[in-house]
Amino acid sequence: MLVSTQQSFDIVSELFLEAPVSLSFGISPALITPFLDGEVDTHRLAAHAKDCLDRGCRTVTLFGTTGEGPSVGVTERERVANEMVAHGIPAEKMVEGVIACSLEEAASSTSQALRRGAHAVLLAPPFYFRPALDDAIFDWYSAVFEAVGNNLRDIILYHIPGMTGVSLSHTVVSRLMERYPNAIRGVKDSEGNPESTFALINAFPNIDILVGDERYLGRACAAGAAGSICGVANVLPEAIIALAENGRDDPRIVELVQEIVSHPVVPMVKALVAHVRQDPTWAVARPPLPTLDRQSTARAIALLEPFGRAAKAVA
């Protein structure tokens, strides 16, 4: 662990301001993926996942955007997920991201994750052929779900139009919930637009709305969001859990995220984890993403200072 369990409790207690908000999903770090000699290093990944869970995260998320999911092939992701279980991370504590265009790949990866016992699958829409109309997006998801068959459950629809170029409208979400009432667990909103998130919370009170942007996560949880799958929870899980459960935004997190998004986001999060763990292997990104130099990351690292020992702990 980076810090002891008691230290984690102390840090969270210092941040709590009032009775905690009840979160049906909680916080799941969008795990970054460590690469060693070009391959996913599952020993490091499993140790990091265990640390996040020990520090209060309810689940961990593999193969999302922050985890460079689109750069991890089908065979490789299956190997990594199985090795994570072998390293002691229960399948039911893992959310598995699926970011694919082909029906075959999306259905296969979703089926494998659910058969493994995954907590949920974070499923992005197809993103290559654009624009994609609502009917086409609905038909694609329906085809994936039909291919998965009787094992279908716990799907989190992934709304991240800045990366996919495809928006998941309320109409699509409503139609999928009506057609597959026992399958849609929630929506992860990574548009970075508070108005969009609050509209989802109001429109869909019976499913989990998850917030990808830590800058307004506290406000969103106070309004009814179920939690978050996010990148900064890789670095500061106690602080992210605290602001979500307090239902109040943390200006230190806002400033940190503003700095992160002014650079290539995934490499910056990897650099911060490398700094916290004092292990440069974590900073290496898989092409086409760059690996950032120290000059680029200096200010973000400095913004960890107000978090004290939680941000200075060494693996």
Side-chain angles (χ1 to χ4, degrees):
M1 281 177 60
L2 298 184
V3 295
S4 71
T5 301
Q6 184 59 53
Q7 285 175 322
S8 297
F9 289 155
D10 290 345
I11 293 163
V12 173
S13 297
E14 290 168 6
L15 292 168
F16 276 148
L17 300 176
E18 56 188 35
V21 174
S22 178
L23 303 174
S24 57
F25 183 87
I27 301 302
S28 184
L31 294 178
I32 63 169
T33 303
F35 297 108
L36 183 64
D37 298 327
E39 301 293 329
V40 177
D41 185 337
T42 54
H43 292 279
R44 279 183 169 86
L45 183 58
H48 180 48
K50 184 178 186 301
D51 183 62
C52 291
L53 293 170
D54 286 346
R55 294 167 72 180
C57 296
R58 292 198 204 163
T59 61
V60 294
T61 297
L62 301 174
F63 314 125
T65 302
T66 310
E68 300 171 76
S71 295
V72 181
V74 176
T75 302
E76 186 177 31
R77 60 180 293 120
E78 181 69 359
R79 174 185 64 80
V80 169
N82 286 331
E83 289 184 6
M84 290 288 282
V85 174
H87 286 313
I89 307 302
E92 62 268 22
K93 289 291 186 178
M94 295 191 297
V95 177
E96 295 193 32
V98 176
I99 305 172
C101 286
S102 77
L103 293 170
E104 179 184 14
E105 181 178 347
S108 174
S109 294
T110 298
S111 294
Q112 289 170 344
L114 294 177
R115 284 198 300 268
R116 195 170 10 257
H119 183 80
V121 169
L122 177 64
L123 182 58
F127 50 85
Y128 186 81
F129 294 109
R130 301 194 299 262
L133 302 179
D134 279 359
D135 285 347
I137 297 171
F138 173 80
D139 288 344
W140 184 88
Y141 273 109
S142 294
V144 172
F145 293 168
E146 294 297 330
V148 172
N150 293 333
N151 291 326
L152 184 66
R153 61 171 175 83
D154 293 307
I155 300 297
I156 300 169
L157 304 173
Y158 193 6
H159 177 65
I160 184 167
M163 297 298 289
T164 63
V166 176
S167 291
L168 292 179
S169 70
H170 288 201
T171 299
V172 169
V173 176
S174 295
R175 290 178 65 189
L176 289 172
M177 289 177 63
E178 182 178 357
R179 175 76 67 87
Y180 305 96
N182 298 318
I184 306 302
R185 168 75 179 271
V187 177
K188 183 195 173 188
D189 183 14
S190 291
E191 184 176 351
N193 178 352
E195 291 184 4
S196 171
T197 302
F198 291 119
L200 280 168
I201 292 168
N202 291 331
F204 302 105
N206 297 322
I207 61 174
D208 290 342
I209 304 303
L210 308 177
V211 185
D213 192 324
E214 302 93 339
R215 289 172 289 188
Y216 62 91
L217 173 58
R219 281 178 288 151
C221 288
S228 178
I229 298 173
C230 63
V232 176
N234 281 280
V235 186
L236 298 166
E238 294 91 352
I240 297 300
I241 292 166
L243 72 86
E245 293 187 346
N246 283 340
R248 296 186 183 182
D249 296 326
D250 186 333
R252 301 170 300 172
I253 293 292
V254 173
E255 186 176 14
L256 176 62
V257 174
Q258 293 280 55
E259 176 63 19
I260 289 172
V261 300
S262 70
H263 298 270
V265 171
V266 175
M268 180 60 82
V269 175
K270 300 193 83 168
L272 293 177
V273 172
H275 170 76
V276 169
R277 290 188 171 274
Q278 295 295 292
D279 180 357
T281 299
W282 284 97
V284 177
R286 178 171 276 181
L289 290 177
T291 298
L292 298 182
D293 57 31
R294 293 186 64 84
Q295 182 177 356
S296 300
T297 60
R299 184 168 186 273
I301 289 171
L303 291 173
L304 297 179
E305 290 298 320
F307 296 94
R309 60 191 175 189
K312 291 181 178 179
V314 178

